[in-house]
Amino acid sequence: MSSESDSYLDLTNVGLNYRTKQVLANISFSLRRGEIGCLLGPSGCGKTSLLRAIAGFESVSSGGITLNNNSISRVGYSLSPEQRQIGMVFQDYALFPHLNVIDNIRFGLHQLPTQQANERALYFLERIGLVDKEMAMPHELSGGEQQRVALARALAPQPDLLLLDEPFSNLDVDLRESLGKEVRSLLKQTQTTAVMVTHDQHEAFAIADSIGVLRDGALLQWDSAYAIYHQPVNAFVADFVGQGVMLQGTMISLTEVKTTLGCFERKVIAGVDDLIHIGDRVKVLIRPDDIIHQDNSALKAKVIARHFRGAVFLYTLELENKEQVLALVPSHHDHAINEWIGIRLEIDHVVVFK
């Protein structure tokens, strides 16, 4: 998390109530100028409510929000949405059906002289690769093209902050991935600070510099994608982000845990591990990339399910004690259900939960 001195967007202990129901509690995170943050979590966790609070559509019930060192929300004060210099890209694109592509992009530039507005609209039209669709109407565009136009329209006024609410949810999986990379590239080119909401971890990984995992209105972890995946702070984050299983383990020292797959050294994380003691029964997070297929290994596991993913198989493996693990194996290793295969462990991040 960036420090207060260099942060551009700052949320401090933000809470939000709808009538008597608490929707968000003690949300704190910050972004530097040009950083992309993502709010990730299941439906109903408060992601969109938090985005609406940043946009100014909801008033905070506690805490405050500052943007570019200016307070935009605090208890008893809320700067109006149109004064916040915040752009938004919605789930349904919200293009004007009666305006062509260039006029949609130009729509938010009415305060500029005509020539300058035209130049800026054409600049962003070129950035999104739709110069040849300048005069097309929204209904003549594909879903991916409509999303590009919505993004260009939001970026053209050069907002202080861009908010994206589930921007790719209406697109197919392959288009989501490619468009996500394009969006990140465009945001970085224009040095735009952005916050995106999604329930799709792959979108979050593809676009964001920092990711916040929400559950029931609480921000459980705000960190890099790498740390969220490899160093989750609790079992919910571990389960929600990436695939994995929990093996039973026993703490034989404060830094060593014993499992059916062997003993592993782990780093003690201050604060997180205060409740873990020697002798405790614990859960040990094992990711698919922790399990390496090796034919001549003495450690064996039985294939009980397999999912072909092109370059790799995702195998579900059963150990002798009936616990299960997942393994990503190159797809030229084609093993049958109920076949026993050799495995070894390569765990760089030993994550343990009480």
PDB file of all heavy atoms in Angstrom, residues 2-23:
ATOM      1  N   SER A   2       0.538   2.197  -0.853  1.00  0.00           N
ATOM      2  CA  SER A   2       1.347   3.405  -0.903  1.00  0.00           C
ATOM      3  C   SER A   2       1.087   4.268   0.304  1.00  0.00           C
ATOM      4  O   SER A   2       0.044   4.227   0.915  1.00  0.00           O
ATOM      5  CB  SER A   2       1.031   4.176  -2.185  1.00  0.00           C
ATOM      6  OG  SER A   2      -0.339   4.369  -2.335  1.00  0.00           O
ATOM      7  N   SER A   3       2.082   5.072   0.657  1.00  0.00           N
ATOM      8  CA  SER A   3       1.955   5.922   1.825  1.00  0.00           C
ATOM      9  C   SER A   3       1.107   7.130   1.512  1.00  0.00           C
ATOM     10  O   SER A   3       0.885   7.478   0.363  1.00  0.00           O
ATOM     11  CB  SER A   3       3.348   6.369   2.275  1.00  0.00           C
ATOM     12  OG  SER A   3       3.920   7.210   1.301  1.00  0.00           O
ATOM     13  N   GLU A   4       0.626   7.801   2.566  1.00  0.00           N
ATOM     14  CA  GLU A   4      -0.254   8.934   2.378  1.00  0.00           C
ATOM     15  C   GLU A   4       0.398  10.019   1.542  1.00  0.00           C
ATOM     16  O   GLU A   4      -0.248  10.724   0.786  1.00  0.00           O
ATOM     17  CB  GLU A   4      -0.686   9.499   3.743  1.00  0.00           C
ATOM     18  CG  GLU A   4      -1.782   8.684   4.399  1.00  0.00           C
ATOM     19  CD  GLU A   4      -2.335   9.391   5.630  1.00  0.00           C
ATOM     20  OE1 GLU A   4      -2.313  10.626   5.650  1.00  0.00           O
ATOM     21  OE2 GLU A   4      -2.777   8.694   6.537  1.00  0.00           O
ATOM     22  N   SER A   5       1.723  10.184   1.674  1.00  0.00           N
ATOM     23  CA  SER A   5       2.398  11.292   1.016  1.00  0.00           C
ATOM     24  C   SER A   5       2.385  11.168  -0.501  1.00  0.00           C
ATOM     25  O   SER A   5       2.406  12.162  -1.201  1.00  0.00           O
ATOM     26  CB  SER A   5       3.847  11.382   1.503  1.00  0.00           C
ATOM     27  OG  SER A   5       4.536  10.180   1.207  1.00  0.00           O
ATOM     28  N   ASP A   6       2.377   9.905  -1.034  1.00  0.00           N
ATOM     29  CA  ASP A   6       2.413   9.770  -2.484  1.00  0.00           C
ATOM     30  C   ASP A   6       1.154   9.118  -3.037  1.00  0.00           C
ATOM     31  O   ASP A   6       1.098   8.771  -4.209  1.00  0.00           O
ATOM     32  CB  ASP A   6       3.657   8.990  -2.927  1.00  0.00           C
ATOM     33  CG  ASP A   6       3.682   7.562  -2.390  1.00  0.00           C
ATOM     34  OD1 ASP A   6       2.725   7.151  -1.703  1.00  0.00           O
ATOM     35  OD2 ASP A   6       4.662   6.868  -2.670  1.00  0.00           O
ATOM     36  N   SER A   7       0.141   8.933  -2.222  1.00  0.00           N
ATOM     37  CA  SER A   7      -1.091   8.316  -2.718  1.00  0.00           C
ATOM     38  C   SER A   7      -1.935   9.357  -3.432  1.00  0.00           C
ATOM     39  O   SER A   7      -1.918  10.543  -3.116  1.00  0.00           O
ATOM     40  CB  SER A   7      -1.867   7.665  -1.579  1.00  0.00           C
ATOM     41  OG  SER A   7      -2.263   8.625  -0.627  1.00  0.00           O
ATOM     42  N   TYR A   8      -2.676   8.899  -4.422  1.00  0.00           N
ATOM     43  CA  TYR A   8      -3.489   9.765  -5.267  1.00  0.00           C
ATOM     44  C   TYR A   8      -4.974   9.593  -4.926  1.00  0.00           C
ATOM     45  O   TYR A   8      -5.703  10.555  -4.763  1.00  0.00           O
ATOM     46  CB  TYR A   8      -3.220   9.409  -6.726  1.00  0.00           C
ATOM     47  CG  TYR A   8      -3.928  10.289  -7.719  1.00  0.00           C
ATOM     48  CD1 TYR A   8      -3.525  11.603  -7.918  1.00  0.00           C
ATOM     49  CD2 TYR A   8      -4.982   9.794  -8.483  1.00  0.00           C
ATOM     50  CE1 TYR A   8      -4.162  12.417  -8.848  1.00  0.00           C
ATOM     51  CE2 TYR A   8      -5.622  10.595  -9.413  1.00  0.00           C
ATOM     52  CZ  TYR A   8      -5.209  11.907  -9.594  1.00  0.00           C
ATOM     53  OH  TYR A   8      -5.843  12.710 -10.500  1.00  0.00           O
ATOM     54  N   LEU A   9      -5.384   8.320  -4.803  1.00  0.00           N
ATOM     55  CA  LEU A   9      -6.724   7.996  -4.295  1.00  0.00           C
ATOM     56  C   LEU A   9      -6.554   7.353  -2.932  1.00  0.00           C
ATOM     57  O   LEU A   9      -5.787   6.410  -2.788  1.00  0.00           O
ATOM     58  CB  LEU A   9      -7.440   7.032  -5.238  1.00  0.00           C
ATOM     59  CG  LEU A   9      -8.775   6.475  -4.739  1.00  0.00           C
ATOM     60  CD1 LEU A   9      -9.842   7.563  -4.674  1.00  0.00           C
ATOM     61  CD2 LEU A   9      -9.255   5.307  -5.612  1.00  0.00           C
ATOM     62  N   ASP A  10      -7.248   7.874  -1.937  1.00  0.00           N
ATOM     63  CA  ASP A  10      -7.119   7.371  -0.571  1.00  0.00           C
ATOM     64  C   ASP A  10      -8.492   7.103   0.031  1.00  0.00           C
ATOM     65  O   ASP A  10      -9.321   8.013   0.097  1.00  0.00           O
ATOM     66  CB  ASP A  10      -6.412   8.408   0.306  1.00  0.00           C
ATOM     67  CG  ASP A  10      -5.108   7.887   0.865  1.00  0.00           C
ATOM     68  OD1 ASP A  10      -5.093   6.733   1.312  1.00  0.00           O
ATOM     69  OD2 ASP A  10      -4.120   8.628   0.841  1.00  0.00           O
ATOM     70  N   LEU A  11      -8.726   5.887   0.460  1.00  0.00           N
ATOM     71  CA  LEU A  11      -9.919   5.549   1.237  1.00  0.00           C
ATOM     72  C   LEU A  11      -9.464   5.209   2.645  1.00  0.00           C
ATOM     73  O   LEU A  11      -8.574   4.362   2.826  1.00  0.00           O
ATOM     74  CB  LEU A  11     -10.679   4.371   0.630  1.00  0.00           C
ATOM     75  CG  LEU A  11     -11.605   4.684  -0.553  1.00  0.00           C
ATOM     76  CD1 LEU A  11     -10.792   4.921  -1.828  1.00  0.00           C
ATOM     77  CD2 LEU A  11     -12.612   3.560  -0.767  1.00  0.00           C
ATOM     78  N   THR A  12     -10.059   5.857   3.639  1.00  0.00           N
ATOM     79  CA  THR A  12      -9.671   5.648   5.030  1.00  0.00           C
ATOM     80  C   THR A  12     -10.893   5.282   5.862  1.00  0.00           C
ATOM     81  O   THR A  12     -11.802   6.086   6.042  1.00  0.00           O
ATOM     82  CB  THR A  12      -9.017   6.922   5.609  1.00  0.00           C
ATOM     83  OG1 THR A  12      -7.935   7.329   4.757  1.00  0.00           O
ATOM     84  CG2 THR A  12      -8.489   6.669   7.005  1.00  0.00           C
ATOM     85  N   ASN A  13     -10.925   4.033   6.322  1.00  0.00           N
ATOM     86  CA  ASN A  13     -11.992   3.538   7.214  1.00  0.00           C
ATOM     87  C   ASN A  13     -13.398   3.854   6.690  1.00  0.00           C
ATOM     88  O   ASN A  13     -14.288   4.260   7.448  1.00  0.00           O
ATOM     89  CB  ASN A  13     -11.827   4.126   8.621  1.00  0.00           C
ATOM     90  CG  ASN A  13     -10.517   3.725   9.253  1.00  0.00           C
ATOM     91  OD1 ASN A  13     -10.038   2.607   9.050  1.00  0.00           O
ATOM     92  ND2 ASN A  13      -9.897   4.632   9.990  1.00  0.00           N
ATOM     93  N   VAL A  14     -13.584   3.654   5.403  1.00  0.00           N
ATOM     94  CA  VAL A  14     -14.872   3.981   4.787  1.00  0.00           C
ATOM     95  C   VAL A  14     -15.940   2.965   5.183  1.00  0.00           C
ATOM     96  O   VAL A  14     -15.736   1.746   5.094  1.00  0.00           O
ATOM     97  CB  VAL A  14     -14.741   4.048   3.246  1.00  0.00           C
ATOM     98  CG1 VAL A  14     -16.119   4.095   2.574  1.00  0.00           C
ATOM     99  CG2 VAL A  14     -13.920   5.255   2.851  1.00  0.00           C
ATOM    100  N   GLY A  15     -17.067   3.476   5.653  1.00  0.00           N
ATOM    101  CA  GLY A  15     -18.237   2.651   5.941  1.00  0.00           C
ATOM    102  C   GLY A  15     -19.417   3.175   5.159  1.00  0.00           C
ATOM    103  O   GLY A  15     -19.484   4.354   4.798  1.00  0.00           O
ATOM    104  N   LEU A  16     -20.369   2.279   4.861  1.00  0.00           N
ATOM    105  CA  LEU A  16     -21.557   2.671   4.101  1.00  0.00           C
ATOM    106  C   LEU A  16     -22.754   1.889   4.624  1.00  0.00           C
ATOM    107  O   LEU A  16     -22.684   0.664   4.763  1.00  0.00           O
ATOM    108  CB  LEU A  16     -21.340   2.370   2.616  1.00  0.00           C
ATOM    109  CG  LEU A  16     -22.491   2.663   1.655  1.00  0.00           C
ATOM    110  CD1 LEU A  16     -22.802   4.158   1.640  1.00  0.00           C
ATOM    111  CD2 LEU A  16     -22.145   2.189   0.245  1.00  0.00           C
ATOM    112  N   ASN A  17     -23.813   2.607   4.943  1.00  0.00           N
ATOM    113  CA  ASN A  17     -25.046   1.986   5.414  1.00  0.00           C
ATOM    114  C   ASN A  17     -26.181   2.264   4.438  1.00  0.00           C
ATOM    115  O   ASN A  17     -26.274   3.364   3.891  1.00  0.00           O
ATOM    116  CB  ASN A  17     -25.456   2.527   6.790  1.00  0.00           C
ATOM    117  CG  ASN A  17     -24.473   2.173   7.884  1.00  0.00           C
ATOM    118  OD1 ASN A  17     -23.682   1.233   7.728  1.00  0.00           O
ATOM    119  ND2 ASN A  17     -24.496   2.909   8.968  1.00  0.00           N
ATOM    120  N   TYR A  18     -27.031   1.263   4.219  1.00  0.00           N
ATOM    121  CA  TYR A  18     -28.306   1.465   3.540  1.00  0.00           C
ATOM    122  C   TYR A  18     -29.386   1.345   4.608  1.00  0.00           C
ATOM    123  O   TYR A  18     -29.637   0.266   5.125  1.00  0.00           O
ATOM    124  CB  TYR A  18     -28.525   0.413   2.452  1.00  0.00           C
ATOM    125  CG  TYR A  18     -27.677   0.591   1.220  1.00  0.00           C
ATOM    126  CD1 TYR A  18     -27.253  -0.502   0.466  1.00  0.00           C
ATOM    127  CD2 TYR A  18     -27.302   1.860   0.781  1.00  0.00           C
ATOM    128  CE1 TYR A  18     -26.481  -0.348  -0.677  1.00  0.00           C
ATOM    129  CE2 TYR A  18     -26.528   2.030  -0.352  1.00  0.00           C
ATOM    130  CZ  TYR A  18     -26.130   0.934  -1.080  1.00  0.00           C
ATOM    131  OH  TYR A  18     -25.358   1.095  -2.210  1.00  0.00           O
ATOM    132  N   ARG A  19     -29.976   2.471   4.967  1.00  0.00           N
ATOM    133  CA  ARG A  19     -30.924   2.536   6.091  1.00  0.00           C
ATOM    134  C   ARG A  19     -30.220   1.983   7.340  1.00  0.00           C
ATOM    135  O   ARG A  19     -29.257   2.560   7.805  1.00  0.00           O
ATOM    136  CB  ARG A  19     -32.215   1.795   5.761  1.00  0.00           C
ATOM    137  CG  ARG A  19     -32.992   2.418   4.601  1.00  0.00           C
ATOM    138  CD  ARG A  19     -34.362   1.780   4.428  1.00  0.00           C
ATOM    139  NE  ARG A  19     -35.124   2.433   3.380  1.00  0.00           N
ATOM    140  CZ  ARG A  19     -35.090   2.069   2.101  1.00  0.00           C
ATOM    141  NH1 ARG A  19     -34.352   1.038   1.736  1.00  0.00           N
ATOM    142  NH2 ARG A  19     -35.798   2.711   1.200  1.00  0.00           N
ATOM    143  N   THR A  20     -30.686   0.864   7.872  1.00  0.00           N
ATOM    144  CA  THR A  20     -30.070   0.331   9.089  1.00  0.00           C
ATOM    145  C   THR A  20     -29.045  -0.767   8.803  1.00  0.00           C
ATOM    146  O   THR A  20     -28.395  -1.269   9.712  1.00  0.00           O
ATOM    147  CB  THR A  20     -31.154  -0.242  10.026  1.00  0.00           C
ATOM    148  OG1 THR A  20     -31.867  -1.261   9.323  1.00  0.00           O
ATOM    149  CG2 THR A  20     -32.123   0.859  10.454  1.00  0.00           C
ATOM    150  N   LYS A  21     -28.909  -1.132   7.520  1.00  0.00           N
ATOM    151  CA  LYS A  21     -28.003  -2.234   7.174  1.00  0.00           C
ATOM    152  C   LYS A  21     -26.614  -1.712   6.828  1.00  0.00           C
ATOM    153  O   LYS A  21     -26.467  -0.816   6.007  1.00  0.00           O
ATOM    154  CB  LYS A  21     -28.560  -3.026   5.990  1.00  0.00           C
ATOM    155  CG  LYS A  21     -27.711  -4.235   5.625  1.00  0.00           C
ATOM    156  CD  LYS A  21     -28.250  -4.946   4.407  1.00  0.00           C
ATOM    157  CE  LYS A  21     -27.367  -6.133   4.040  1.00  0.00           C
ATOM    158  NZ  LYS A  21     -27.793  -6.776   2.780  1.00  0.00           N
ATOM    159  N   GLN A  22     -25.606  -2.280   7.479  1.00  0.00           N
ATOM    160  CA  GLN A  22     -24.228  -1.921   7.163  1.00  0.00           C
ATOM    161  C   GLN A  22     -23.766  -2.709   5.942  1.00  0.00           C
ATOM    162  O   GLN A  22     -23.763  -3.938   5.935  1.00  0.00           O
ATOM    163  CB  GLN A  22     -23.310  -2.216   8.343  1.00  0.00           C
ATOM    164  CG  GLN A  22     -21.887  -1.699   8.135  1.00  0.00           C
ATOM    165  CD  GLN A  22     -20.999  -1.913   9.343  1.00  0.00           C
ATOM    166  OE1 GLN A  22     -20.845  -3.040   9.800  1.00  0.00           O
ATOM    167  NE2 GLN A  22     -20.435  -0.848   9.873  1.00  0.00           N
ATOM    168  N   VAL A  23     -23.382  -2.001   4.889  1.00  0.00           N
ATOM    169  CA  VAL A  23     -22.981  -2.628   3.631  1.00  0.00           C
ATOM    170  C   VAL A  23     -21.462  -2.710   3.511  1.00  0.00           C
ATOM    171  O   VAL A  23     -20.922  -3.682   2.983  1.00  0.00           O
ATOM    172  CB  VAL A  23     -23.563  -1.844   2.435  1.00  0.00           C
ATOM    173  CG1 VAL A  23     -23.143  -2.468   1.120  1.00  0.00           C
ATOM    174  CG2 VAL A  23     -25.083  -1.786   2.535  1.00  0.00           C
TER     175      VAL A  23
END
